[in-house]
Amino acid sequence: MGGLDIVIANAGIIQVGPAEALGAEGFQDAMDSVFNGALNTSLAALPHLRRSPAGGRLVLIGSVGGLLAVPHLLPYSCAKSAVAALADGLHAEEAPHGVSVTAVHPGLMRTGSHLHAFFGGDRRREYGWFSAVAGAPLLSMNAERAADRIVTALQRRRPRLVLTPAARLGATAHGLAPVTTTRLVSAAARVLPRDGSRTTVRGSAVEAGEQPPAPRLRAVLGALNERAADRFNQR
């Protein structure tokens, strides 16, 4: 239509496992897709957004994992933390040009992401806990509802949106008491698998080839996420 008014950068990958199992390559892959994807999209779009008659709007999708580091999701957390800094900095720099920049930090989203995440170390157990928690009732959020909230934040030019009550609680607690939250997260990490072997596979391959642990518990906690995977054609 001869111009660019709205840009949303949402590309990314998720790797699940201990840092030693994912290796430096895992961190580089996360930075390449999550951070560089947001960075390159922003730099390419900003000249056009500045010329928007209505004032351009840029939305960068971060994560609560970028506000509070999550064990066994460290490449993802590091890349999303960089996105958070980029969004906050661009919000300040672009304000004089009439461009608003909104940082969106979702918590757990029901999108079927467990099927496309990459799992390292004890991939069977890593897939088991992630696929259950990712769609757990009360902790996770419906993707359509999240999209509606993001559009509203974009329309209102909000500088930041944190989605799900659990994510807001975690981000606020870490901001007020970082030492305490770090200790609590460290305690939670003790129950996660400790296998550091360097083998990474996609979640759909684990689902098809290896029976994850606690199938009944996963069936209950992950039922909503499984329905989302079907609805969004993630199989």
Side-chain angles (χ1 to χ4, degrees):
M1 301 298 291
L4 191 61
D5 302 300
I6 297 170
V7 171
I8 301 177
N10 188 41
I13 59 174
I14 301 176
Q15 302 114 315
V16 185
E20 63 175 329
L22 302 175
E25 300 88 349
F27 284 83
Q28 188 61 57
D29 288 344
M31 291 298 292
D32 282 343
S33 61
V34 176
F35 176 67
N36 288 336
L39 173 64
N40 292 328
T41 298
S42 300
L43 295 179
L46 283 172
H48 302 280
L49 294 175
R50 291 171 181 171
R51 293 194 293 269
S52 170
R57 292 168 167 87
L58 174 65
V59 178
L60 303 185
I61 306 297
S63 169
V64 68
L67 306 177
L68 170 64
V70 181
H72 288 224
L73 288 169
L74 285 184
Y76 182 80
S77 282
C78 289
K80 289 295 189 179
S81 180
V83 171
L86 177 66
D88 289 348
L90 287 179
H91 178 82
E93 290 191 7
E94 292 303 314
H97 300 286
V99 176
S100 64
V101 181
T102 299
V104 178
H105 299 295
L108 295 169
M109 294 287 110
R110 295 195 289 272
T111 62
S113 62
H114 61 293
L115 295 173
H116 293 279
F118 292 89
F119 296 85
D122 188 343
R123 58 198 185 196
R124 175 175 167 271
R125 291 180 62 201
E126 297 286 358
Y127 180 83
W129 77 260
F130 182 81
S131 60
V133 171
L138 302 180
L139 292 179
S140 63
M141 189 175 192
N142 176 283
E144 292 96 334
R145 181 164 170 252
D148 184 66
R149 294 280 305 278
I150 292 170
V151 169
T152 300
L154 180 152
Q155 291 173 328
R156 297 177 179 176
R157 299 183 181 273
R158 291 183 56 180
R160 174 178 287 197
L161 173 66
V162 181
L163 293 171
T164 79
R168 289 195 296 271
L169 177 61
T172 301
H174 189 59
L176 295 174
V179 174
T180 300
T181 55
T182 298
R183 287 174 176 169
L184 290 174
V185 171
S186 297
R190 293 180 181 274
V191 303
L192 296 175
R194 299 186 182 182
D195 186 349
S197 58
R198 297 287 295 279
T199 304
T200 305
V201 298
R202 191 182 292 270
S204 56
V206 180
E207 179 76 27
E210 305 177 31
Q211 179 60 49
R216 292 183 180 179
L217 180 61
R218 285 198 324 110
V220 173
L221 293 180
L224 295 176
N225 210 20
E226 295 296 335
R227 294 175 193 169
D230 292 331
R231 192 163 66 255
F232 302 136
N233 194 29
Q234 296 297 301
R235 298 294 178 186

